[in-house]
Amino acid sequence: MEVTKICCIGAGYVGGPTMAVIAQKCPHIQVTVVDLNEQRIKDWNDPDTNNIPIYEPGLSEIVAEARGRNLFFSTEVEKAIDEAQVIFISVNTPTKTYGKGKGMAADLKYIELCARQIAKVAKENKIVVEKSTLPVRTAEAIKSILDNTGNGVQFQILSNPEFLAEGTAVTDLLNPDRILIGGDTTPEGEAAINALVDVYANWVSKDKILTTNVWSSELSKLTANAFLAQRISSINAMSELCEKTGADVNEVAKAIGMDTRIGPKFLKASVGFGGSCFQKDILNLVYIAKSYGLNEVADYWEQVIIMNDHQKRRFSNKIVQTLYNTVADKKITFLGWAFKKDTNDTRESAAIYVADDLINEQAKISVYDPKVSRNKMLADLNYLESRSVEENNNAILAFDNPYDACKGSHAISILTEWDEFTAYDWQKIYDSMHKPAFLFDGRNILNAKELESIGFVYKGIGS
Ligand code: NAD
Ligand code: UDX
């Protein structure tokens, strides 16, 4: 089967960039991205592609090229499902906040809604692709819904997890390490797999396109995120030991990373990992392991999250302790609020938790982030429900330039590794601060010696 019409349900951080790249690389395929969120679709259709709702380097250019040619953003979900041969489900699968599995399991209500809608609308055979990250064996549930509530048409379910990282989504999509496609081993399943392989083969070499059974594909995604996050928690655990022993975690990371069996990536000690994926997917993995009675497996992976929570708390504690055990009414400036550089996404950002701790200690937080609005920062804090909306409103000030944000502050804290932070006039910032001027570098991106020679009291992670 040659694919000429694709629909993607969910115009978020995965659906938007992924479909934009498919549309750019496959001009013969009509790609329609649909979402229930009208504002999000309106933003994707903004005539100025610099205003699209997701900031990713290189993305607005790709959208400018393909949008209106073979890339469309729409709220007409049913129409797009009806017309497409292949339907990607790319909706959110957050951690459940209610009922059984609360705080651990993935909430699959949006996935189920999609399956029911596809079943209702489809009048011809379709390939349904799980792009969202899902617990192993979810395809079974989707298939059951499709087969039992549909119009008698045949569905093939494929698992095609997405491995892009935010901030590098476009380059990750253009040059993926691998594409993973899981499907049934029946002739129909294999035909569906081949149809999707052919879509990716428009720009990805076939030796990078891996096909597996559905369950391996679903579980590989959770496994990949667990392994990546585990490396960060491992180096962060070492960072605490470094601080006690006089070792420097950057030197340790370099030394171990040169061992080709370990490798240099994902060994950067930090204030703790954030983002919408790592914590959610590991909690889900822990929940799945527990549900099979595999308590040792569950405990092993849960420790990655425990270490990460500890690292965030340790960072805020260090700020309080260093500032003579009180930050009440002191101005602490955060440089960065996004969970990593080159994204406007703040989900699970360490900045939120550090701010929450410091506001509990009655600090005033000033923030500068190149891509995050004050409304977003407030929404993130309000979501924690630690205090009233009004109290959060009074505790957070946002600035649109770093020098104003730092002026008159007692301490600066780097929460995101934005490149521009290294290029600031740090002497000018120092001159505008209360003395002693403290700098807590939660990303180890600044040059300690240079800052100390200006006069800062510099505290990095793990040294
Ligand atoms: P997101 O919240 O940015 O986007 C999801 C979108 O789906 C939202 O705009 C929402 O309105 C829409 N939606 C929900 N239910 C819908 C429905 N029934 N019909 C139409 N639209 C609906 O989420 P995301 O970050 O794009 O993540 C999506 C999935 O991809 C998750 O399972 C996530 O774990 C996985 N994933 C995310 C990343 C990442 O870096 N963000 C990377 C790999 C995988
Ligand atoms: C992650 C996975 O990398 C990606 O493959 C998957 O598809 C989605 O989840 P993402 O969360 O977007 O991607 O970004 P990532 O680069 O993995 O960073 C996650 C967090 O870890 C960020 O807060 C980042 O700052 C932090 N991090 C990363 C470290 O603290 N140290 C490191 O060495 C690497």
Side-chain angles (χ1 to χ4, degrees):
M1 178 184 95
E2 203 207 341
V3 177
T4 54
K5 283 196 172 170
I6 287 177
C7 150
C8 173
I9 309 179
Y13 282 88
V14 168
T18 309
M19 292 303 129
V21 167
I22 291 184
Q24 187 203 31
K25 292 295 174 184
C26 311
H28 57 288
I29 300 179
Q30 182 182 313
V31 180
T32 306
V33 192
V34 291
D35 204 295
L36 296 173
N37 183 332
E38 287 179 11
Q39 186 60 46
R40 214 167 208 187
I41 293 299
K42 202 167 160 241
D43 293 343
W44 278 111
N45 283 323
D46 195 297
D48 179 352
T49 54
N50 289 315
N51 297 334
I52 56 176
I54 285 167
Y55 172 71
E56 278 290 342
L59 182 60
S60 74
E61 292 83 347
I62 293 179
V63 171
E65 178 188 334
R67 197 179 60 188
R69 179 189 72 188
N70 65 326
L71 175 65
F72 303 93
F73 294 92
S74 161
T75 49
E76 290 184 285
V77 180
E78 297 201 345
K79 180 167 178 274
I81 292 174
D82 180 35
E83 289 176 354
Q85 302 150 293
V86 178
I87 302 158
F88 286 82
I89 302 181
S90 192
V91 301
N92 37 330
T93 51
T95 304
K96 267 187 94 176
T97 53
Y98 56 90
K100 190 163 177 276
K102 179 180 174 180
M104 299 291 285
D107 192 343
L108 299 181
K109 69 180 174 197
Y110 305 108
I111 296 285
E112 177 162 347
L113 270 173
C114 290
R116 290 191 183 277
Q117 201 161 20
I118 295 168
K120 187 177 105 188
V121 173
K123 293 179 210 70
E124 286 159 26
N125 296 351
K126 310 261 180 213
I127 299 173
V128 175
V129 184
E130 300 175 345
K131 185 54 113 177
S132 297
T133 304
L134 295 170
V136 58
R137 297 205 80 88
T138 306
E140 205 166 41
I142 295 181
K143 184 148 184 55
S144 167
I145 293 168
L146 290 173
D147 288 349
N148 290 301
T149 55
N151 305 315
V153 299
Q154 297 293 310
F155 294 101
Q156 283 301 319
I157 323 286
L158 301 179
S159 160
N160 171 220
E162 184 48 61
F163 294 98
L164 69 80
E166 291 180 25
T168 52
V170 169
T171 47
D172 292 346
L173 288 162
L174 291 173
N175 302 298
D177 286 346
R178 77 322 211 165
I179 297 289
L180 178 59
I181 303 174
D184 280 352
T185 45
T186 57
E188 297 81 12
E190 278 164 14
I193 291 175
N194 289 337
L196 189 56
V197 167
D198 288 344
V199 171
Y200 283 108
N202 282 295
W203 78 99
V204 181
S205 74
K206 282 217 171 158
D207 57 345
K208 286 193 170 176
I209 307 180
L210 190 65
T211 59
T212 64
N213 79 33
V214 187
W215 322 128
S216 304
S217 171
E218 287 178 338
L219 189 56
S220 297
K221 175 65 197 176
L222 295 183
T223 309
N225 276 351
F227 270 60
L228 290 167
Q230 175 266 122
R231 284 174 67 97
I232 303 170
S233 277
S234 296
I235 200 72
N236 281 344
M238 290 307 159
S239 75
E240 190 170 12
L241 193 54
C242 286
E243 287 169 26
K244 296 284 179 212
T245 56
D248 177 333
V249 78
N250 297 319
E251 292 177 352
V252 172
K254 187 164 185 197
I256 64 166
M258 286 173 79
D259 185 325
T260 52
R261 295 168 302 174
I262 295 175
K265 294 184 182 165
F266 268 70
L267 285 181
K268 182 100 182 145
S270 68
V271 55
F273 60 73
S276 63
C277 293
F278 283 167
Q279 174 167 300
K280 158 177 87 70
D281 293 345
I282 294 175
L283 289 173
N284 185 15
L285 188 64
V286 169
Y287 183 75
I288 294 168
K290 276 193 183 148
S291 70
Y292 287 106
L294 308 179
N295 293 327
E296 289 77 6
V297 177
D299 290 349
Y300 177 78
W301 288 111
E302 191 164 20
Q303 202 57 40
V304 174
I305 302 294
I306 293 170
M307 187 64 226
N308 196 51
D309 287 340
H310 171 67
Q311 188 76 348
K312 289 182 274 188
R313 177 86 8 104
R314 201 166 77 74
F315 188 75
S316 40
N317 284 345
K318 186 189 265 186
I319 295 177
V320 177
Q321 276 162 16
T322 311
L323 270 70
Y324 315 107
N325 287 315
T326 176
V327 289
D329 297 325
K330 289 183 182 165
K331 177 175 169 182
I332 315 260
T333 299
F334 279 23
L335 292 179
W337 188 270
F339 82 97
K340 63 182 286 198
K341 72 173 180 177
D342 293 336
T343 179
N344 59 350
D345 195 350
T346 64
R347 289 177 289 182
E348 291 301 328
S349 179
I352 304 168
Y353 296 93
V354 176
D356 190 50
D357 285 348
L358 296 177
I359 297 170
N360 279 343
E361 294 290 335
Q362 302 191 348
K364 300 276 181 233
I365 311 289
S366 304
V367 194
Y368 166 74
D369 185 291
K371 292 288 174 194
V372 181
S373 69
R374 180 168 187 271
N375 281 347
K376 189 82 199 57
M377 297 166 195
L378 272 175
D380 289 336
L381 279 172
N382 290 335
Y383 186 76
L384 296 184
E385 295 183 348
S386 306
R387 62 193 73 75
S388 72
V389 171
E390 199 192 342
E391 284 169 310
N392 281 334
N393 211 3
N394 291 334
I396 287 273
L397 271 176
F399 290 84
D400 52 18
N401 97 65
Y403 297 97
D404 290 341
C406 293
K407 200 169 168 185
S409 65
H410 295 81
I412 295 172
S413 179
I414 309 276
L415 273 309
T416 312
E417 70 278 26
W418 287 102
D419 289 338
E420 65 173 65
F421 297 167
T422 58
Y424 290 169
D425 181 344
W426 283 100
Q427 179 71 56
K428 180 173 163 189
I429 290 175
Y430 176 80
D431 291 342
S432 74
M433 289 175 65
H434 281 279
K435 307 293 177 321
F438 295 96
L439 210 163
F440 299 91
D441 186 352
R443 297 293 182 165
N444 287 352
I445 53 170
L446 299 178
N447 186 319
K449 286 211 173 75
E450 269 175 32
L451 291 160
E452 279 164 357
S453 73
I454 290 173
F456 278 103
V457 179
Y458 175 90
K459 304 250 177 217
I461 301 275
S463 61

